[in-house]
Amino acid sequence: MTDPMVPPTPPVHLQALLAREDLGLRRIAGPDDPGTVIRWAHASEMADPYPYLLGGELLLSAGVHIPEGAGPGYFDAYVSRIVAAGGAALGFGVAPVHEAVPKALVEACEMHGLPLLEVPPRTTFSAVARAVWQLMAQARLAELRRVTEAQQSLAAAAARPDPLRPVLRRLAQRLNGWAALYAPDTTELAASGPPPPPTAHQALTNLTQALRPSDPTTPAAGSPPAAAAGSRAAGAMGVPPLERSREWGRVGAAAPGKHRQATPTPTSASDTVDGTHLAAYALGTGHGFVLAVATPHRTPGDHTIASVAAALLTLLTGQLQSSTATARSSALVRLLLGTPPPDVAPLLGAERWHMVHARPDGQAPPDPLAAAALGTALGSALVDPAGETVRVLVPADHPVEPLPGWTLGVSTAVAPEDWPAADTQAARALARARATRTRLLRHGDRPALADLVPPHDADAHARSLLAPIAATPALTDTLRTWLSLHGSWDRTAVALSVHRNTVRQRIARCAALLDADLDDPDVRMELWFALRRT
């Protein structure tokens, strides 16, 4: 078995061999097809080389096998056997046996569509074979370099905070095609690249279904075309014959009307529809995710690059469940943020927690995939992707560090009964982080001046002082944010997502209702003291 992570040796284009001036080869018959490739060179003087050919060869012969007085019938049978064996081209050596290529051989090659090359006397067959191997080595080196660069690019994409889409985007770019991640329920979670034609798209969707475990009690006649997909897998682009045979056997087939026995599900399958090459790879997470690829062309390294992407996506989807599981996680977080959280908190295995509020740098709100990736990066599955802000409960022993692509606000470490307060802390920290363009801000946990005043007295003073604006939450929130940002109009506008003139109007309204000079630092300190109690 070949290693699927190493691309097979690519074939050599016949034109590249003809371009070698040191060989002096000349095409004298057969189609001038730029897509003709050869996989190796083989010298034989057998009258019937069919049993000794594997396909794709440049067969080299000096015509020793040609009997005296051989007519068109002999050459027709000889060339037809080469074509039947899958030979790519025939190289005929001039001298010492024949001074020129037999005319009947030229006619037979022209009739059967087999490229015929004239090998001059000065060129030995070993020189031709050596040139083929040199070109193959160069092509393999170029393909290995391409695969290595693709691996590095995919690994860099997998390290991003929202890695699934970047990995698909890099894969589509490297293959010059379309890549998609299918969920266990057969829906497309994410995709990148120019989509294939509708017919090919539907065929690819069917191909992904063939990689899902089937119910052994389902009649074969009415089940998805797993056996057909296996035959497509047998034609896998760039997959060696032995691997194709293995994929055939893994799919299995049952007679119509019979119940199929439980057979191992294939890990990959491929097809070609309307000139579009299709391939599907089952991810090894056990959750039913499938990577699908559609490309206009197929090179030996494409299978390797797609396999690397499948391995990375397997890791990235290891903790990613279906959308239903994400919804359950979101509902759980919202329950834990309500009342009474201590009843369920012990099941989570930590005594103290950080609440993290996160906003992506882009304009679009985060989707469940991005939220799940954020939770994985923070080391927690308790993720609530609600609205424009993602909330994550993180155990206190997991350090929260800045993440590229995200702005984070982090609360102090609290017990479960203080989660609602930590939620408020994280929200305020995130607002300040966005206003100051800071990647991460933590809520301060030093003892405050308010701790010196009895809580009952502090609360009563805060209610009395803020009573004129308490009925208008927009005024209270604006005043709190404005004071926290040292009276900056612009930063407050960014934090509240309003216009700076709106901030000015609200602050002026607060000053009028409170009958206070907000430029006085003592007044600001007293108001901040009161706002901290609400």
Side-chain angles (χ1 to χ4, degrees), residues 9 18 20 62 72 158 165 171 197 269 307 323 373 375 389 404 442 449 502 521:
T9 301
L18 291 171
R20 290 281 296 258
R165 282 184 173 80
L171 177 61
S307 297
S323 57
T389 300
R442 305 178 191 273
L449 182 63
T502 302

Side-chain angles (χ1 to χ4, degrees), residues 151-384:
Q151 289 175 336
Q152 295 172 347
S153 177
L154 291 170
R160 293 176 60 86
D162 179 15
L164 293 176
R165 282 184 173 80
V167 169
L168 292 174
R169 184 164 54 250
R170 294 286 177 85
L171 177 61
Q173 291 171 350
R174 293 290 174 174
L175 299 185
N176 191 28
W178 181 78
L181 178 64
Y182 280 75
D185 58 2
T186 73
T187 58
E188 291 179 19
L189 284 178
S192 182
T199 305
H201 192 284
Q202 182 60 46
L204 188 56
T205 301
N206 296 339
L207 208 59
T208 63
Q209 295 175 356
L211 301 184
R212 305 178 190 282
S214 58
D215 185 355
T217 63
T218 303
S223 61
S231 65
R232 299 188 192 108
M237 296 79 72
V239 181
L242 285 178
E243 186 173 342
R244 294 202 298 265
S245 300
R246 178 190 60 172
E247 291 297 325
W248 246 337
R250 292 179 65 183
V251 176
K258 299 288 185 179
H259 293 293
R260 290 181 297 170
Q261 298 296 323
T263 57
T265 305
T267 58
S268 64
S270 62
D271 197 1
T272 301
V273 176
D274 295 337
T276 302
H277 298 274
L278 312 175
Y281 302 84
L283 304 187
T285 58
H287 301 309
F289 292 95
V290 177
L291 169 64
V293 176
T295 56
H297 305 287
R298 189 72 170 178
T299 64
D302 289 351
H303 175 70
T304 303
I305 294 173
S307 297
V308 171
L312 291 172
L313 291 172
T314 295
L315 296 176
L316 296 175
T317 56
Q319 297 185 12
L320 180 62
Q321 303 293 321
S322 65
S323 57
T324 303
T326 302
R328 287 199 300 268
S329 177
S330 176
L332 175 61
V333 172
R334 297 180 187 186
L335 173 64
L336 296 179
L337 294 176
T339 304
D343 295 343
V344 292
L347 301 175
L348 302 177
E351 295 182 358
R352 300 183 67 81
W353 300 78
H354 288 294
M355 172 57 69
V356 178
H357 280 216
R359 288 280 293 269
D361 291 346
Q363 297 297 326
D367 56 21
L369 284 178
L374 173 67
T376 300
L378 294 175
S380 174
L382 301 178
V383 182
D384 178 22

Side-chain angles (χ1 to χ4, degrees), residues 423-442:
D423 187 42
T424 303
Q425 293 178 0
R428 294 176 181 174
L430 175 62
R432 291 187 59 205
R434 295 184 65 239
T436 57
R437 294 179 173 83
T438 304
R439 285 291 183 187
L440 183 148
L441 271 182
R442 305 178 191 273

Side-chain angles (χ1 to χ4, degrees), residues 39-84:
R39 300 186 178 277
W40 38 69
H42 175 63
S44 173
E45 295 298 342
M46 302 293 295
D48 181 12
Y50 181 92
Y52 308 97
L53 299 181
L54 296 176
E57 293 93 346
L58 167 61
L59 181 62
L60 300 171
S61 173
V64 177
H65 59 88
I66 301 175
E68 246 185 79
Y74 175 86
F75 291 105
D76 180 73
Y78 176 69
V79 174
S80 65
R81 293 291 282 174
I82 296 175
V83 173

